[in-house]
Amino acid sequence: RTYNVRSQDGNDASPQTLATGLVSTGFTGITPYKGVSTFVVTAVNSNGESVASKPVSVDLQQAAAVQRMHSMH
C-alpha cells in the first residue's frame, strides 16, 4: 500500500497533488508559508485508490516553528 497527499488552498481551488507513492504515513516535504492549508490523504493498493480522508487544516508557519523548537532540544 502507498499513500498520496493533496492540498487545497482556498474554497474554490482544485486539489494539488503534493506527493504520490509514499510508503509511510509521515510526510514533511511541505514549504511553510503564511496561512492555513488543507490536506487530504488517499491510500492506493491493488484495488485502486481509496476515497480521500477527512480534510485536515494546518497552519504551516506555526507548525514549522514548533518543529524547529523541538529539534533544538
Side-chain angles (χ1 to χ4, degrees), residues 12-57:
D12 297 328
S14 297
Q16 303 239 350
T17 300
L18 298 177
T20 60
L22 299 172
V23 295
S24 72
T25 56
F27 176 63
T28 59
I30 303 169
T31 303
Y33 76 101
K34 291 183 180 180
V36 175
S37 283
T38 301
F39 301 92
V40 295
V41 176
T42 59
V44 180
N45 64 20
S46 60
N47 293 319
E49 187 171 16
S50 71
V51 297
S53 65
K54 290 185 178 182
V56 175
S57 294

